[in-house]
Structures are given as structure tokens and as C-alpha cells.
Amino acid sequence: MAASFTPTLFRSILFIAAFFCAPFSALANNLNANANYVVTLRGVNISTVSVGFKDNGQIYSVNILGDVTGLASLVAAGTARFASSGNSSGDQLQSERFELETIANDQSFNVMFQANQGNVTSSQVMPPLSQNKNRVPIVRKHRQNINDPIASFFLKADRLEPALCDRQLKVYTGVERYNIDLKFAKEQTATSKATGYQGPVILCTMRYNPISGHFTNSDTTTYMQSNQRFLIWYAPLGQSGYMIPYRVLVGTAFGDLSMVLTRLNY
């Protein structure tokens, strides 16, 4: 998949896969849940995402698998796997281990890091990234006070309200450090019977701010940094007190890339 799609499109898919799947991991003691999402580009299905997550009130784990599907499978083939685990006893998930593997055209790319209380203790990238003078170095302070791109998007709130969006997420992926600034946009109602939820939602805008690990000459970084169509809708998960992404939308040069919840069992 990475080799067949352009870097901007593939990176956008990885962004929204992480955003959608993070928040379900710490919803309740002894939770064992499964969810499905569909990714579309200009309204055409291009990928499916399945999520398995568990939480016992102290420790959580999330496992995510994304596959190219539909018409996209005629020109591309690939999978992306995410895994996040760590502490779920606080007011948000705190990652202690993150893994990412992408496979395309029989070539794999793997990232893993471990952390303790938000500080990275070890990391590995295979194959190693080549040296490039245009890549902003990741220094020690950029590996402190962070969360992984799954656990970062866990949200807890007493009710669905605009204040849900007022936060900055400090994300570390193992190869890049960036912030995501959430801001309230509007209150809406999800009505589509084709999705896994109907009811009130909160729409937040997102702004991507690269810190390190990115390339200063990267069109993808420039595009994402200036992207004005980077949106996330949050919905309540029943009366649990937790808010989950209902939809994420990323504007791309190819049209809107969207990911929507289609099924949730817990």
C-alpha cells in the first residue's frame, strides 16, 4: 500500500486509523470489544479497519488491522497493523508499548518503542531510516511527556460538550514527534443508518504541528501542516462517560479521505 499510494495519501490513512481506534481501550473494567470502520476516498471504499481492544481497569491493549479493499485492491495491496498497550487507571490512556508494521509488495516496515510514565525508554525502527540532512533530529526532550498515536486520542468526559475539543495532544510515533491541536467547531447530529451510531456529536478541527523526525523538504509535511480540512467527530459511548471518534476526515489532493464507524460490539 505504501508503495502504490502517494506518501500524502498513505500518511493520511495512517493518521485516521490511529485516531479512530485509540479511545475505546479503557472504557470499562474487563472490557473486551470489537469494532469495524470503513475508509473511503471521494466516497469510494478503499480500506477496512478492524479493532480489538481489552481493558481490565488497570491495563489496556489495542490491536488494529487495516487492509486495502474495493477498487483500490486492483492497483494496490497492503496491510497496516498497530498495537498499543499500557496503563488505563488514570484519566487517560498512557502508552507503555507501541508497535506499527506495514507490509506492501513483500516489503515490511516496523516501528516499536517502550515508555515509562510518558518517557521513551527504548525504540527500534526496521529497516533503519537512512541519514538525511533534511530530517529534523529527534532529541531527548522530544521523547519525554509523550503518548503514542493510539493512546493520545483517548478522551474521557462527563458529557458531550464543546470543551471536549480544548486540548493539545503530544504524539510520538517512534519516527516522528508532533502535536495535534484540537479546537471546537460545532455541535451536530449523526443521522446515517449506515453507520454504527446515530445521535449528537461534537465536531473538532485538528491542526498538525511537526516537532521533529519530519523532513523539512517534505511535501507531505507541508501539506498536513497547512491542511484546513482535518476534522474529527466525537460521540458518547452510551452512558459510560467516554467519548469515541465517530468519524475522521482528511482533505487530500485526491479528495476527502474519510473513516467512519460501521459496527461496535462490547
Side-chain angles (χ1 to χ4, degrees), residues 52-66:
F53 40 93
K54 299 181 180 180
D55 174 47
N56 65 9
Q58 297 294 322
I59 300 172
Y60 79 90
S61 65
V62 183
N63 290 283
I64 304 165
L65 174 64

Side-chain angles (χ1 to χ4, degrees), residues 153 167-169 178-182 206-208 230:
F153 285 84
R167 65 189 70 218
Q168 181 183 76
L169 309 177
Y178 58 85
N179 291 340
I180 296 292
D181 294 319
L182 297 182
M206 294 189 287
R207 292 301 302 269
Y208 163 76
F230 199 12

